[in-house]
Structure formats: C-alpha cells, structure tokens
Amino acid sequence: MVEVERVLTLDHPLAEVVRHLADFSHTEEWDPGTVTCDQISGGEPSVGTEWRNVSEFRGRRTELRYRLVRFEADRLTFVGRNRTATSTDDLRFEEHGGRTRLTYRARIDFHGLARLAGPFLRREFERLGDGVAERLPRALDLALGAPPSRR
C-alpha cells in the first residue's frame, strides 16, 4: 500500500470546487498520471457513477474503472480497480472565508505479486502527489474562471 496526502487552499467557494471535482473526467486537467478519463455511465455524477481512467506510470499505461462511492457536500471518494491494484482518491473539503481547503489523499493497494513493488514506488507516488498539488489549483482557475480574490 502506498498513500500520499496533500493539503491545498483553493481560491474558489467550496460548492463550486466540489461540483467540478465530482466529475472524475476532470482528472485529465489536474492529475499528471491521467492520460484519459471518460465517464461510462450516464447522467450527472452521483454515487455509483463510473469512469474509465487510463493512466501512465513509469512509462506504462494502465486502465482502472473508477466509481464514485461517496458524494457529500464536503467529501468525495472515488475507488478505481483493475486486476493489479485498487486506487482510492479521497477528497475532503472545508470552507474558509470564500476559499476552500482541500485535503487530497490518494491510496493504492496492490494485489498479488504487485504488492512487492509497493515500497519501491513510494517516491514516484510522492512526485505524482506534488504534481497534483501544483496542477489542481491552476486547473480550477481555468475551469471556474478567475478566483473571486483576483477579480
């Protein structure tokens, strides 16, 4: 198991941030490992909505099927699975004077022989976490417009 956590302050109201990030296809904008992410079940994102996510890690592409398992006003949880791993992205939100504090936690549980590689991959997953922390605020600014504090 490998877990990374980043805490970000976003210059947008909580409800707007949650609404945008509830659509997991937006990971293409802010997750440096995501190549493509397409919703495979119809409608607006809600508990049970699924996405097909193709990621690249260490030069190899892998596909996971993600499902939104928790959709609350202040928390989103997505779980992705394939035969080698289960990936959980847990996003917790707090309102701070018109801004949003996001605690982003990504956890990867490897299955079978892949479990042996987990400890050796921690540094690379930390780099991915740094990439999320750098890209996510900019992606939200592009998607939601100039932050209220800069208008």
Side-chain angles (χ1 to χ4, degrees):
M1 186 257 311
V2 178
E3 188 172 271
V4 297
E5 179 178 297
R6 298 294 182 271
V7 178
L8 312 169
T9 300
L10 307 165
D11 293 327
H12 297 278
L14 185 142
E16 290 180 22
V17 172
V18 172
R19 187 172 36 259
H20 186 75
L21 295 180
D23 183 347
F24 203 65
S25 64
H26 292 141
T27 58
E28 291 179 15
E29 303 164 0
W30 54 264
D31 180 358
T34 296
V35 177
T36 63
C37 190
D38 301 301
Q39 188 172 330
I40 55 177
S41 56
E44 291 294 313
S46 61
V47 170
T49 300
E50 294 184 331
W51 291 264
R52 177 183 167 268
N53 180 285
V54 176
S55 295
E56 189 167 317
F57 182 71
R58 300 184 77 189
R60 300 184 74 168
R61 289 192 179 197
T62 187
E63 181 179 321
L64 287 99
R65 185 177 188 139
Y66 274 88
R67 176 184 290 258
L68 180 57
V69 298
R70 177 181 287 130
F71 189 161
E72 299 169 358
D74 62 352
R75 189 169 180 193
L76 299 168
T77 306
F78 301 89
V79 177
R81 290 189 171 85
N82 66 18
R83 64 180 185 83
T84 358
T86 299
S87 178
T88 304
D89 289 290
D90 188 55
L91 294 80
R92 294 176 190 236
F93 307 91
E94 295 175 62
E95 181 77 37
H96 281 278
R99 300 171 82 201
T100 302
R101 178 181 165 163
L102 165 63
T103 301
Y104 171 80
R105 181 176 294 138
R107 174 183 167 144
I108 296 104
D109 292 291
F110 295 100
H111 309 296
L113 292 176
R115 281 184 291 176
L116 300 174
F120 301 104
L121 300 175
R122 180 169 305 282
R123 180 173 285 153
E124 291 186 53
F125 281 106
E126 288 290 339
R127 271 196 290 271
L128 285 173
D130 292 342
V132 167
E134 179 183 320
R135 291 174 64 167
L136 195 144
R138 289 192 317 232
L140 282 171
D141 289 351
L142 285 172
L144 302 177
S149 61
R150 289 189 240 146
R151 287 187 188 146

